[in-house]
């Protein structure tokens, strides 16, 4: 109703070549490219108003500490060298919370990469394929890299704090401290059966969404 997906995307999704998560990746970028606004995953929990500097930015997503290396990387070869040095795949951003204006160049570039890939392939490279497409787009375009580095500076580490405490005994002081560091929190739908305590952070979130800090 709101976006027009290419026929080959719909066909490959129906044939289960494109997994649900990767199909959602395409939809979120098409919606942002056409309308602008915020994409917020269902596992994101808000404990305050989203700052205006985020909502008014040309493009925003939470950046990783790896993103501080981006200004020093000018090619895919250098990126590979950094990966080898740290013995892991570097990632610069998160995709569960994205704010952008309609027609944003970063969004359009990553979307084009995804659509072009699925035109010829029948399985994803990786579960985090969207993150890899962001990396590829930023490495190959100085304008996009500059826009990314100039966005409001908020880091992934802070929005993961509540998830890390989710199954621990609830502590109001710690909860307040976490919320003071970020009003946006990435939670998870996985392993909820693990909830070991009746007074865990998860239990309080489920039962006290109006908790006063």
């Amino acid at each position: 109703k709101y976006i027009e997906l290419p026929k080959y995307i719909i066909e490959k999704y129906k044939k289960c070549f494109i997994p649900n998560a990767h199909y959602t990746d395409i939809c979120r970028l098409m919606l942002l490219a056409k309308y602008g606004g915020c994409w917020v995953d269902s596992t994101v929990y808000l404990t305050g108003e989203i700052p205006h500097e985020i909502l008014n930015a040309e493009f925003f997503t939470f950046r990783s500490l790896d993103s501080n290396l981006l200004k020093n990387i000018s090619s895919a070869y250098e990126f590979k060298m950094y990966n080898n040095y740290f013995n892991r795949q570097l990632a610069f951003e998160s995709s569960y919370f994205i704010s952008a204006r309609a027609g944003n160049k970063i969004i359009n570039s990553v979307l084009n990469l995804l659509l072009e890939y699925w035109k010829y392939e029948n399985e994803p490279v990786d579960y985090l394929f969207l993150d890899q497409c962001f990396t590829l787009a930023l490495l190959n375009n100085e304008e996009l890299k500059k826009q990314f580095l100039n966005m409001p500076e908020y880091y992934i580490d802070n929005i993961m704090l509540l998830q890390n405490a989710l199954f621990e005994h609830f502590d109001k002081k710690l909860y307040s401290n976490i919320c003071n560091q970020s009003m946006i929190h990435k939670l998870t739908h996985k392993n909820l059966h693990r909830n070991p305590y009746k007074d865990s952070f998860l239990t309080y979130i489920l039962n006290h969404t109006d908790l006063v800090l």
Side-chain angles (χ1 to χ4, degrees):
K1 181 179 178 180
Y2 298 102
I3 54 175
E4 188 172 342
L5 292 161
K7 289 183 179 180
Y8 67 88
I9 294 293
I10 297 173
E11 290 172 358
K12 289 190 175 186
Y13 176 66
K14 288 180 177 179
K15 293 178 180 178
C16 297
F17 292 145
I18 302 179
N20 289 336
H22 297 84
Y23 182 74
T24 302
D25 290 341
I26 297 169
C27 292
R28 81 180 69 186
L29 293 184
M30 291 194 77
L31 285 166
L32 287 169
K34 184 173 182 180
Y35 301 105
C38 279
W39 173 275
V40 184
D41 272 11
S42 60
T43 52
V44 170
Y45 178 62
L46 301 178
T47 55
E49 291 187 7
I50 301 171
H52 290 295
E53 65 173 341
I54 289 177
L55 297 176
N56 294 332
E58 174 67 30
F59 172 85
F60 173 84
T61 187
F62 286 90
R63 65 175 75 191
S64 70
L65 292 176
D66 289 344
S67 66
N68 293 318
L69 299 171
L70 183 58
K71 63 188 71 174
N72 301 319
I73 301 175
S74 58
S75 68
Y77 175 76
E78 290 182 3
F79 177 71
K80 185 176 180 180
M81 294 295 289
Y82 272 95
N83 284 338
N84 291 338
Y85 178 78
F86 289 106
N87 195 30
R88 63 181 175 82
Q89 180 80 23
L90 299 182
F92 301 134
E93 47 60 56
S94 60
S95 57
Y96 33 79
F97 184 101
I98 303 173
S99 180
R101 295 180 186 174
N104 175 261
K105 291 183 179 180
I106 294 178
I107 295 296
N108 281 335
S109 179
V110 177
L111 176 58
N112 289 336
L113 284 172
L114 285 177
L115 294 178
E116 193 67 13
Y117 175 87
W118 286 113
K119 190 181 294 183
Y120 303 102
E121 303 295 336
N122 290 325
E123 60 180 359
V125 173
D126 188 87
Y127 180 77
L128 298 176
F129 183 46
L130 177 58
D131 294 335
Q132 294 168 350
C133 286
F134 267 104
T135 297
L136 187 60
L138 297 175
L139 288 177
N140 286 280
N141 189 304
E142 285 297 320
E143 181 185 357
L144 301 186
K145 182 196 291 190
K146 183 178 180 180
Q147 184 182 123
F148 179 87
L149 292 173
N150 287 336
M151 70 184 181
E153 200 165 332
Y154 292 80
Y155 286 92
I156 293 171
D157 297 55
N158 288 343
I159 67 173
M160 300 300 293
L161 293 173
L162 191 54
Q163 181 182 139
N164 294 336
L166 208 55
F167 302 115
E168 303 298 327
H169 286 291
F170 180 77
D171 181 278
K172 187 173 182 179
K173 183 177 180 180
L174 177 57
Y175 183 85
S176 296
N177 288 338
I178 290 174
C179 294
N180 285 336
Q181 294 184 63
S182 179
M183 74 301 300
I184 302 169
H185 312 274
K186 176 65 173 72
L187 304 184
T188 179
H189 62 83
K190 299 176 182 177
N191 300 319
L192 296 185
H193 62 281
R194 278 186 50 215
N195 191 11
Y197 308 118
K198 292 183 178 179
D199 64 341
S200 68
F201 278 81
L202 174 60
T203 302
Y204 262 82
I205 289 170
L206 292 175
N207 296 330
H208 297 79
T209 54
D210 59 344
L211 184 66
V212 177
L213 302 182

